Amino acid sequence: MTDESSASASSDETIFRLTALWVLVLCIVALVTAGSPVGDVAYVVVAVLLTVGFAVAALARRLQPAKAWMTLAGGLVLLAIGDAIYTLPWDTDIGESGLTLADPLYVAGSVVMVLGAILLKGSQVGERDRESMIDACSVGLAVAVLAWQPLIEPRLTVVDVPSAARLVNGSYPMFDVVILAMMCWILLGARRRNATTMLMVAGTSSFLVADLIYTIRLDHGTIDDPSLAWLDTFWLVAYALYLLAVLHPSARAVARAPADRERTISRARLA
């Protein structure tokens, strides 16, 4: 039985390394072609491959809880479909709302991602780590405060934009912050640091960075500058990190509950 476990772990490690190499090649292709006539097509193809790959990997590896992993997969696929619609060469505006057909998919994908993170955390039965919850909330609050001025406020207060568009655009970075806080809660609540969770934290952080870059480009009127199209690769990096997270050997241990043990919270931490 030990030999079988060792062989399985070795196989998982080999698949992870090969996929990491494959992902790197895909991201380089998207980076090199960014801003060219085939750049949008390359971006969409890579995004779909990475997100569908996440779903396939979660199913193939039978990760538990299946509902949490497949919910995360559904959120990522919705975001990738939104990317595909956003890059369509024809008009996708929804009337006079200031929104495009991609926005409902982005919102739905973000909501589903939050739900997936909640389900993943909820699966850690026996883990009552209040300290980790406080730490995660502190991280989320700090990121929200830092993101307010450059990311959220400009989207909520921009002039000549319908209220629905301002609200939806301002919600994207907030969703990123919530998912980041949930992933930090999972990471900090474990007895041992888990590589899969760290990869998902990094992926969510990449989403946040991509949103920041997008907002800055909007403010400076360079959103359509082909020479800066390579910056969109940050979204692909986020998708790639999530795929690597689900393929990492430690993914099987994310929802594995440690012994039920309450830890006390020091007065210093509460202060």
Side-chain angles (χ1 to χ4, degrees):
M1 190 69 178
T2 303
D3 291 340
E4 291 180 2
S5 299
S6 177
S8 177
S10 177
S11 176
D12 287 346
E13 186 69 28
T14 300
I15 292 173
F16 174 78
R17 291 180 179 178
L18 289 175
T19 304
L21 180 60
W22 173 72
V23 164
L24 178 61
V25 170
L26 287 178
C27 288
I28 290 175
V29 169
L31 182 64
V32 171
T33 60
S36 69
V38 299
D40 288 344
V41 175
Y43 177 94
V44 171
V45 169
V46 173
V48 171
L49 285 174
L50 293 175
T51 54
V52 172
F54 181 97
V56 172
L59 282 173
R61 302 191 67 198
R62 299 179 181 179
L63 297 181
Q64 297 298 323
K67 183 182 293 185
W69 288 106
M70 295 315 298
T71 300
L72 286 172
L76 290 170
V77 170
L78 285 171
L79 293 176
I81 295 174
D83 288 340
I85 293 176
Y86 183 81
T87 58
L88 289 174
W90 54 81
D91 184 20
T92 59
D93 292 342
I94 303 176
E96 302 296 326
S97 64
L99 301 173
T100 69
L101 292 175
D103 286 303
L105 290 167
Y106 287 145
V107 172
S110 298
V111 171
V112 173
M113 288 286 290
V114 171
L115 179 59
I118 292 173
L119 290 173
L120 196 59
K121 176 58 186 176
S123 70
Q124 294 177 319
V125 180
E127 192 162 343
R128 309 279 199 271
D129 193 344
R130 290 173 293 180
E131 284 191 20
S132 67
M133 181 182 68
I134 292 174
D135 288 339
C137 289
S138 299
V139 170
L141 181 60
V143 173
V145 170
L146 292 173
W148 179 262
Q149 183 64 37
L151 263 178
I152 304 171
E153 185 181 21
R155 295 187 176 192
L156 295 176
T157 59
V158 63
V159 297
D160 300 326
V161 174
S163 299
R166 291 202 303 268
L167 182 61
V168 169
N169 291 333
S171 70
Y172 294 142
M174 289 306 300
F175 281 126
D176 292 339
V177 170
V178 172
I179 298 170
L180 179 62
M182 289 300 302
M183 292 302 178
C184 285
W185 189 6
I186 297 171
L187 176 65
L188 297 172
R191 285 187 180 181
R192 297 179 179 177
R193 296 295 177 256
N194 183 284
T196 287
T197 310
M198 287 191 285
L199 284 167
M200 289 193 289
V201 168
T204 307
S205 300
S206 185
F207 275 128
L208 195 59
V209 170
D211 281 337
L212 174 59
I213 293 172
Y214 181 82
T215 300
I216 293 174
R217 290 173 65 189
L218 279 177
D219 291 343
H220 289 78
T222 59
I223 195 63
D224 295 320
D225 185 349
S227 67
L228 297 177
W230 64 272
L231 293 169
D232 293 340
T233 310
F234 277 98
W235 277 298
L236 292 182
V237 170
Y239 293 140
L241 288 169
Y242 266 90
L243 174 59
L244 294 178
V246 79
L247 284 171
H248 195 276
S250 65
R252 299 184 189 279
V254 170
R256 189 176 300 161
D260 199 357
R261 180 172 63 91
E262 292 283 350
R263 293 196 295 182
T264 59
I265 305 175
S266 67
R267 292 181 181 273
R269 185 177 294 273
L270 287 174

